[in-house]
Amino acid sequence: NAGVTQTPKFQVLKTGQSMTLQCAQDMNHNSMYWYRQDPGMGLRLIYYSASEGTTDKGEVPNGYNVSRLNKREFSLRLESAAPSQTSVYFCASRREDSGSYEQYFGPGTRLTVT
Amino acid sequence: AQSVTQPDIHITVSEGASLELRCNYSYGATPYLFWYVQSPGQGLQLLLKYFSGDTLVQGIKGFEAEFKRSQSSFNLRKPSVHWSDAAEYFCAVGEAAGNKLTFGGGTRVLVKP
């Protein structure tokens, strides 16, 4: 049981390049999330998916797209990377058992855009 | 809109001393409250959560937190810190049973020997 996995762990992009961050969970969770973490700002929600086939914008969606490929996988795409997107990106999935609702986080992807 | 404030950006504490991290939230309904810990280079791990019931909740690693509705606070405490408690701590408030979380800016804890 690997929990939430993310690839890659590190990435350096040039301005204007595109890339996709991959996330997978093996806990059979319905909800999945993408956050970005910047110093002093905590984690901010980019997009989330409450179930397979649905996605919704979070607090900071501009410049990103997502795909909920199936119940396990939720990818985040940067179509044209900008230096402002330099950040650490976390994927999470949510346990929905009665009395829990905990979100489980992956180890993160550190992205630098030059 | 919900919001979370963690007033202390950094806290330095001696090993064996007590620790209290402050968290104030703004939310219209009954909040779902969480504390997460992030060790360097790692993802976030849940320490404890509050949904309802007893306002003093116990978590992992010897942490506890107290929900005070009148003060809109959910402060985290540990009676005696260990060097391994050096990390960044995040308070979060959730809506609709935690479907979306809003995080505070985090408090970085440094433990002195």
Side-chain angles (χ1 to χ4, degrees):
Chain A
N1 188 335
V4 180
T5 57
Q6 293 183 236
T7 55
K9 293 190 186 304
F10 300 95
Q11 184 71 49
V12 179
L13 292 178
K14 295 186 187 303
T15 298
Q17 288 184 319
S18 63
M19 78 161 296
T20 300
L21 282 63
Q22 306 287 352
C23 173
Q25 53 92 10
D26 61 2
M27 297 174 282
N28 202 37
H29 292 169
N30 283 322
S31 299
M32 296 185 72
Y33 307 82
W34 275 105
Y35 294 90
R36 61 177 289 172
Q37 181 182 28
D38 302 291
M41 303 185 75
L43 278 73
R44 293 180 292 168
L45 183 64
I46 304 171
Y47 272 92
Y48 69 102
S49 169
S51 62
E52 185 179 351
T54 69
T55 61
D56 286 287
K57 295 178 180 179
E59 182 185 352
V60 288
N62 291 345
Y64 305 95
N65 287 299
V66 290
S67 295
R68 184 71 183 269
L69 304 170
N70 47 55
K71 192 171 186 179
R72 290 188 63 249
E73 299 172 288
F74 188 38
S75 63
L76 178 72
R77 183 159 178 84
L78 287 70
E79 291 290 353
S80 179
S84 61
Q85 294 178 304
T86 293
S87 188
V88 182
Y89 292 85
F90 288 98
C91 177
S93 66
R94 179 183 150 220
R95 178 180 173 183
E96 293 147 3
D97 298 358
S98 175
S100 179
Y101 310 114
E102 175 182 350
Q103 288 191 18
Y104 292 79
F105 286 81
T109 294
R110 186 173 295 274
L111 175 67
T112 302
V113 183
T114 61
Chain B
Q2 58 203 47
S3 65
V4 179
T5 301
Q6 294 180 245
D8 304 304
I9 297 174
H10 292 98
I11 285 181
T12 299
V13 60
S14 297
E15 192 168 14
S18 64
L19 175 68
E20 180 167 12
L21 304 182
R22 295 183 290 165
C23 172
N24 294 99
Y25 68 88
S26 173
Y27 186 62
T30 299
Y32 292 77
L33 294 160
F34 305 82
W35 274 101
Y36 283 85
V37 60
Q38 183 182 31
S39 298
Q42 303 295 315
L44 277 71
Q45 180 184 22
L46 181 71
L47 283 176
L48 48 77
K49 58 186 181 253
Y50 172 79
F51 297 150
S52 64
D54 193 346
T55 57
L56 184 63
V57 293
Q58 303 296 320
I60 63 171
K61 305 186 182 194
F63 285 92
E64 67 178 25
E66 186 170 14
F67 170 60
K68 293 186 177 181
R69 184 185 298 275
S70 62
Q71 297 177 20
S72 297
S73 69
F74 188 55
N75 294 348
L76 182 72
R77 298 191 292 257
K78 185 169 184 177
S80 176
V81 299
H82 186 262
W83 63 266
S84 60
D85 294 322
E88 190 156 20
Y89 293 79
F90 293 94
C91 181
V93 62
E95 62 168 58
N99 191 33
K100 289 199 294 184
L101 294 181
T102 298
F103 285 84
T107 298
R108 186 171 298 277
V109 174
L110 177 65
V111 180
K112 295 191 301 183

